[in-house]
Amino acid sequence: MTEKREKIKRIGVFTSGGDAPGMNAAVRAVTRAALANKLEVIGIRRGYQGMIEGDFVKLKSTDVSHIMHQGGTFLQTARSKEFRTEEGRAKAYVQLKNAGIDAVVVIGGDGSFAGALEFSKDYDIPFVGIPGTIDNDMFGTDYTIGYDTALNTVVEAVDKIKDTASSHGRIFFVEVMGREAGQLALKAGIACGAEIIFMPEIHEEEKALEKFLANRYKQKKHSGIVMVAEGDSAGGAFKIAEKVQKQHPEIEVRVSILGHMQRGGNPTATDRVVATQMGVAAVEAILEDQKSIMVGLKNEQIVHIPLVKVVKTNRGIDHELIDMQKVINSVQ
Ligand code: ATP
């Protein structure tokens, strides 16, 4: 074992920001990989807030048994205003030091990584990130933990909505999560055969919707699904539906906001496997003396991306997929 490896004896692990299915599998993998490398593991409850308050629990191998298949996060999560302040981060540092924690694995989204970066400006405890968010909006990784489960949840729900839409000849506006990113709406829209997909990254969908209503809907198709990411600039499913209803009073319009059901549920096999790969990779990164990086997956391979790059760079949306969907929907 190298000198660098020997200086890390105890690591902390926590989940932060919005919960995502697969976070438990990631905590399990971090714990087991750390124990396999003779490190002690401390679970930090309730994200950065728990760190500030010293809400810590020692994790043994059996403490992470039978959690991999459960949604949510057994360590719980939180959004901490206090950690955004210098005083809050100072308190967190003292708690980590007092608990003898030499390095930390943070499982969360962009905001959680921004917090880790702020902390690293003043303090020497290294942080390694694992991307955990249902939005799949993070730069540098093909997958974020929770996305595959959320996607499948949305598809299952919309399949059911489609039964009603076609039976009654209605247009359903289905709103899915995604404040700043349309990944979930885009992939779910493709998988469900949505006619139009509204995403925050694209601003021309109102015209496409009008065209669909004027041509294809009225002439041939008497029902339809319009997928709307909650952060779309047109204002969300209710606003778009209201406008359509005013312009086309003859069309039966309905809105369905899928809401928090998208976050919950047992993680899919993909999310469990990805979470396990990333959990083990995060511990290896710590043992290699890495700091302020996120472990990600690119073309099925583990990669390390500097947190600065992850936080500052927009992942963007896959325009090839958008164009593909337009081709599918272009035929009358
Ligand atoms: P999700 O993608 O699910 O929203 P997230 O990790 O982006 O997850 P946030 O609520 O944005 O969720 O961030 C989680 C926590 O990270 C915040 O509650 C806050 O405690 C901390 N944090 C975020 N940004 C900063 C920052 N600039 N400085 C310090 N702490 C921060």
Side-chain angles (χ1 to χ4, degrees), residues 31-327:
T31 303
R32 296 263 168 98
L35 294 173
N37 281 283
K38 311 228 174 320
L39 306 177
E40 286 185 349
V41 187
I42 304 295
I44 300 164
R45 292 200 192 96
R46 296 183 293 114
Y48 285 117
Q49 195 55 38
M51 190 183 286
I52 289 168
E53 294 169 20
D55 191 359
F56 300 159
V57 56
K58 190 169 174 180
L59 295 177
K60 302 186 301 296
S61 180
T62 49
D63 293 325
V64 292
S65 299
H66 310 298
I67 61 166
M68 182 150 73
H69 61 292
Q70 289 168 3
T73 158
F74 85 107
L75 286 176
Q76 297 192 288
T77 183
R79 300 193 197 267
S80 169
K81 277 195 187 143
E82 205 178 346
F83 196 79
R84 291 178 183 272
T85 66
E86 277 184 28
E87 296 74 22
R89 292 193 292 277
K91 282 188 204 166
Y93 179 69
V94 170
Q95 296 285 9
L96 293 174
K97 271 285 173 201
N98 287 346
I101 293 172
D102 304 310
V104 178
V105 177
V106 46
I107 305 165
D110 269 336
S112 302
F113 294 170
L117 274 177
E118 279 303 318
F119 183 88
S120 71
K121 284 181 189 163
D122 295 315
Y123 304 109
D124 56 359
I125 298 175
F127 276 58
V128 165
I130 295 179
T133 163
I134 65 165
D135 293 337
N136 203 23
D137 58 347
M138 298 180 73
F139 177 80
T141 185
D142 293 336
Y143 297 103
T144 61
I145 296 169
Y147 172 65
D148 188 63
T149 307
L151 180 57
N152 281 290
T153 301
V154 171
V155 169
E156 204 185 321
V158 176
D159 282 350
K160 289 175 182 165
I161 290 169
K162 273 184 95 164
D163 290 345
T164 298
S166 63
S167 301
H168 287 265
R170 290 173 181 160
I171 302 271
F172 264 86
F173 291 82
V174 181
E175 188 173 293
V176 300
M177 284 187 172
R179 280 192 308 254
E180 281 150 30
Q183 288 285 343
L184 192 58
L186 176 59
K187 283 268 182 87
I190 291 169
C192 297
E195 271 65 43
I196 309 288
I197 308 170
F198 282 74
M199 293 162 274
E201 297 90 342
I202 306 288
H203 306 287
E204 59 197 38
E205 298 312 317
E206 277 186 278
K207 267 192 224 148
L209 175 61
E210 194 42 52
K211 209 167 148 194
F212 162 72
L213 294 173
N215 302 325
R216 201 153 152 248
Y217 175 76
K218 287 198 175 155
Q219 287 164 21
K220 293 219 169 112
K221 208 170 159 154
H222 300 293
S223 69
I225 296 289
V226 178
M227 196 71 78
V228 183
E230 63 183 330
D232 183 83
S233 58
F238 271 114
K239 270 211 171 144
I240 303 168
E242 207 179 325
K243 208 164 157 190
V244 167
Q245 191 70 92
K246 263 195 200 140
Q247 285 165 352
H248 303 273
E250 73 288 0
I251 298 178
E252 265 203 74
V253 165
R254 293 288 185 277
V255 175
S256 181
I257 311 280
L258 297 189
H260 282 84
M261 68 176 290
Q262 295 165 85
R263 279 195 185 283
N266 297 353
T268 58
T270 297
D271 270 329
R272 296 180 206 191
V273 173
V274 168
T276 305
Q277 284 175 285
M278 290 181 177
V280 172
V283 172
E284 280 170 2
I286 283 175
L287 289 171
E288 286 162 10
D289 211 24
Q290 301 262 8
K291 52 178 77 99
S292 298
I293 57 127
M294 175 191 83
V295 296
L297 268 184
K298 273 273 167 199
N299 303 319
E300 311 287 323
Q301 299 294 316
I302 288 287
V303 289
H304 293 172
I305 318 284
L307 286 185
V308 173
K309 216 165 172 190
V310 177
V311 167
K312 285 200 176 145
T313 321
N314 210 321
R315 177 188 166 129
I317 195 98
D318 188 338
H319 287 271
E320 276 182 25
L321 284 183
I322 295 172
D323 291 344
M324 181 198 79
Q325 183 68 354
K326 281 186 183 150
V327 171

